[in-house]
Every structure is written in structure tokens, then in C-alpha cells.
Amino acid sequence: MKHAKKRVCYVLIALLLTLIAIRLYLPYAAASYINTTLSQSKAYNGRVGDVDLMLWRGAYSLEHVLLYKANGQVDRPLFKADYVEFTLSWSQLFKGAAVGKVIVNSPEINFVDGNTEERSQSGKDENWLSIADQLFPLRIDKLTINQGKVAFHNPDTSPAIDIALHDIQLEVNNLVNSDNLSDSRVATAKAQGQTAQQGTISLNAKLNPATTAPTFDVDIQADNVGLVNFKNLLDTYAPFDLEAGTLTLAAEVASNEGKVKGYIKPILHNVEVFSWKGDIERDGDGFIEGSIEAISAFVTELFENQSEDQIATRIPVEGDLSSPDTQTWEAFTAILKNAFIEAFNGDVEKSIELDRLELDKLEAPEGSEN
């Protein structure tokens, strides 16, 4: 009898030690699997620093995630994050849905425009959704991003271009789009970020993922964005120098079954395009370059609302989603109207709504086009 009890005790101890060994080994096995998964792309490699399994929560976390160009010619990662957590939603599991939540802390995305394809990176033409599905096979119902950053870099200009939208806070809810899990089939997103050293951008969006054609409503507001922070970018990609000024922008775009309607309303405050001291003396521009910038400054002054010291227009966007039609002539006439008659307020008008588009469609006479 004593020998039988000892054998049972030895078996239990061996089983316990085996379970402990498996538990200790799992994070290393998971890290190996994740590193292999992140490196599936031919153009990009990936790795993760540490994996922590929280089995009792139905969760696991990654630390120091990196995704970078494989050729070694780009010195910034396409994506990096200090911490990523994937968690099974127990409350939704009790409703019969295997869905989860994702939290990403301090993520960073870097787009690079070098002078060759090898020195550039955008991440396009890669199947990132497939990789995400392999890392977290459950459907994601909620996504939270804390202190994010999206940067644009051109190392081959002088000086180099290095701008970013930083301190991004983003929360997306109801991505699963199920009547059993939520009172609404509409997903919502809310985000805010800081531009360079000055200015904020905020976004509010509604999306119905269940429709065949894209159905969404997006509002964007930018306030007090310092244009001088983008001077290197504009010097490289625009035919004039910007010496000073700020940007306010409001935009609303909604799509119902692929039909898009909306507007973009940019307002430039206290814009200074040409500065003799800055452009001729400091930059060393020649007569032709200086003349072009002087003309740009003259046109800016012509279209500027003198009482408000601002340039503004309202650009309508309407058409099919595959090729939204920005009406150039209407934009130009709006500039003239604002230049000599009235100044616009840089606020979202709440005039473009998904519900309004759906109502317009119902009220439209048969055979007419929206």
C-alpha cells in the first residue's frame, strides 16, 4: 500500500514538473512562432523582444515589437511598439462569440521616401491582415492605441525631412458588427493627435463593416497647425517657400453604398509665403527662384481675406468611392467668394451625415441619381 501511494505521489510530482516545464517553455516557443510570422514578407523582417502568457486571463502580450525593411538600407523600422496585448473577451465568450481586444502602447509607423526604391518604405503590397490573423486568430472587437506616432522621413533632402503626427490616442469599438454583441451594427472610432510642435488633429468616424460597398461617416478637424514645422516638406514637394502661418481644417466625408459626399475646408491664417531676408539672403535663391516665390506671395495676398488675415475655401467632394470627384472650378470660385466677401469658420458643420445620405436616397424620385 505504501509503495502504491509513493508511485501515485511520484506520478503527480512528475506531472506537475512537466506542466511547469511546458509553462516555462511556452513563451520561448511563442516568441519563435511570432518572429517567424512577422518575417513572412520578402521585403520586411520582424522580431519581438519578449512574450508573456497570461493564461488565466486568456491573454498574451508582446514587448518591443519591430518590423523593418530586410535590405538594411532604411534606418527606421516600418513599425515598432513598446507593448501589444491581445485579450480574449470573456463577457462576449459567454454570449457565444470568440472575440478579443487589442491594446497597443507607444506604436510608431515610419514612412520613408528615399531617392531609390531600396531606400524607401511604405509597407504597400504586403498582406498584413493575414499576418495579424496568425498572431491573433480571434476577431477583434475593440482596438486601443496609446501614445502612437506616424512619421514621414526623407533622408536624401538637405536638410532631411522629418515630420510626425504624435501622441495619438485612438479607440475603435464594435468591429465585430454583431446584433448579439451590441445594440448597434455600426463601429465607431475616435482619435486625436498632435502635429509637429504645434497643432492638433481629431477624428470621429462611424463605419458599417457589414455592407458590401463601403458605408462610413468621417469628421476630421485640424486646429492651429504650424506650417513652418513643415517647411522642409514644402520646400521639397511644393514650388514655394512657406515662412509662417497656421492651418485650420475641417472635413466631412460620408459614403452610402459607395456613393461619396462631403467637403474639405482648409483655412490658412497669417500666411507668409515669401520673405526677402529668408529667401534671398539666407537661402541664397537666385532671381528666378525669388521671382516665383514673390509671385506666390502676391497671389496669396490677393486671395487673402484682409479683415480676417486668412485664406479659406470649401472644396466639395462628391462621386463614386473608387474615384471621388473634387470639383476644381467650384473650389476656385469658393476662394474668390471668400477672398472678397466673407471669412469661413474652421469648424465641422455637421452637414454631412450617414443618416442624411440614407434618407436622401429613400426620398429621391425613382430613376434619379443621388
Side-chain angles (χ1 to χ4, degrees):
M1 191 67 179
K2 288 184 177 180
H3 294 297
K5 289 182 178 180
K6 284 185 178 180
R7 282 197 296 269
V8 172
C9 185
Y10 291 151
V11 170
L12 291 177
I13 292 174
L15 181 60
L16 180 60
L17 291 175
T18 301
L19 291 175
I20 292 174
I22 292 174
R23 177 62 183 85
L24 293 174
Y25 173 72
L26 276 177
Y28 299 99
S32 177
Y33 168 77
I34 291 167
N35 288 336
T36 301
T37 301
L38 290 176
S39 300
Q40 287 181 10
S41 167
K42 293 182 179 180
Y44 295 89
N45 288 331
R47 69 173 185 267
V48 60
D50 188 28
V51 177
D52 187 15
L53 303 180
M54 296 158 279
L55 299 178
W56 60 277
R57 287 180 52 204
Y60 79 96
S61 65
L62 313 177
E63 294 183 5
H64 307 299
V65 182
L66 275 179
L67 195 62
Y68 52 93
K69 197 149 189 181
N71 62 14
Q73 295 191 37
V74 179
D75 62 358
R76 301 188 180 200
L78 175 66
F79 173 83
K80 74 173 185 177
D82 289 349
Y83 181 86
V84 182
E85 181 177 296
F86 303 91
T87 307
L88 171 66
S89 178
W90 291 103
S91 61
Q92 306 294 21
L93 185 63
F94 294 142
K95 297 180 181 180
V99 301
K101 304 175 182 179
V102 178
I103 298 174
V104 187
N105 292 341
S106 302
E108 182 177 315
I109 298 176
N110 291 288
F111 298 106
V112 179
D113 183 22
N115 56 15
T116 65
E117 182 66 27
E118 291 73 21
R119 288 174 54 80
S120 304
Q121 71 179 12
S122 64
K124 65 179 182 178
D125 302 326
E126 300 292 338
N127 195 355
W128 301 119
L129 287 178
S130 174
I131 293 176
D133 287 341
Q134 294 174 63
L135 294 177
F136 192 60
L138 303 181
R139 297 179 66 187
I140 298 173
D141 188 45
K142 181 176 181 178
L143 170 66
T144 302
I145 292 177
N146 299 312
Q147 298 300 313
K149 179 179 178 181
V150 177
F152 176 82
H153 182 57
N154 188 331
D156 297 320
T157 61
S158 183
I161 298 172
D162 194 2
I163 59 173
L165 179 65
H166 57 92
D167 293 333
I168 298 172
Q169 300 292 132
L170 168 69
E171 184 171 299
V172 186
N173 290 287
N174 201 29
L175 284 172
V176 171
N177 185 242
S178 169
D179 288 331
N180 295 327
L181 304 180
S182 173
D183 296 333
S184 172
R185 293 178 65 86
V186 176
T188 60
K190 187 174 183 179
Q192 182 169 319
Q194 304 291 318
T195 58
Q197 299 176 10
Q198 175 184 330
T200 62
I201 293 180
S202 60
L203 176 146
N204 286 280
K206 294 183 290 185
L207 169 70
N208 190 343
T211 57
T212 303
T215 302
F216 59 83
D217 180 5
V218 179
D219 296 347
I220 300 174
Q221 180 84 46
D223 293 306
N224 197 33
V225 178
L227 297 178
V228 71
N229 296 319
F230 303 94
K231 178 173 171 53
N232 292 346
L233 179 73
L234 294 171
D235 285 350
T236 302
Y237 297 100
F240 54 82
D241 287 349
L242 250 175
E243 302 298 330
T246 60
L247 168 70
T248 298
L249 182 142
E252 293 184 75
V253 181
S255 172
N256 183 34
E257 296 185 0
K259 300 300 181 182
V260 177
K261 188 173 183 179
Y263 68 87
I264 301 172
K265 189 167 67 172
I267 305 174
L268 300 176
H269 302 275
N270 303 308
V271 175
E272 186 178 332
V273 176
F274 174 80
S275 166
W276 180 271
K277 183 176 181 61
D279 291 295
I280 302 300
E281 295 182 11
R282 186 185 65 241
D283 295 346
D285 289 349
F287 174 77
I288 294 178
E289 291 87 349
S291 298
I292 291 174
E293 290 166 2
I295 293 172
S296 299
F298 172 75
V299 173
T300 298
E301 185 71 17
L302 176 64
F303 291 128
E304 186 171 279
N305 183 291
Q306 299 299 325
S307 61
E308 299 291 342
D309 202 18
Q310 68 182 39
I311 310 164
T313 186
R314 186 183 191 277
I315 304 172
V317 178
E318 187 170 1
D320 195 283
L321 186 63
S322 59
S323 56
D325 179 26
T326 301
Q327 301 174 26
T328 307
W329 177 249
E330 289 190 28
F332 179 71
T333 55
I335 290 175
L336 292 178
K337 177 181 178 181
N338 182 62
F340 299 106
I341 300 176
E342 61 182 353
F344 289 178
N345 291 320
D347 301 311
V348 170
E349 301 170 355
K350 297 296 182 184
S351 62
I352 304 297
E353 296 288 345
L354 179 57
D355 296 341
R356 180 70 250 171
L357 291 184
E358 293 173 345
L359 183 60
D360 290 345
K361 182 181 178 183
L362 292 174
E363 295 176 348
E366 206 171 317
S368 65
E369 293 184 8
N370 282 340

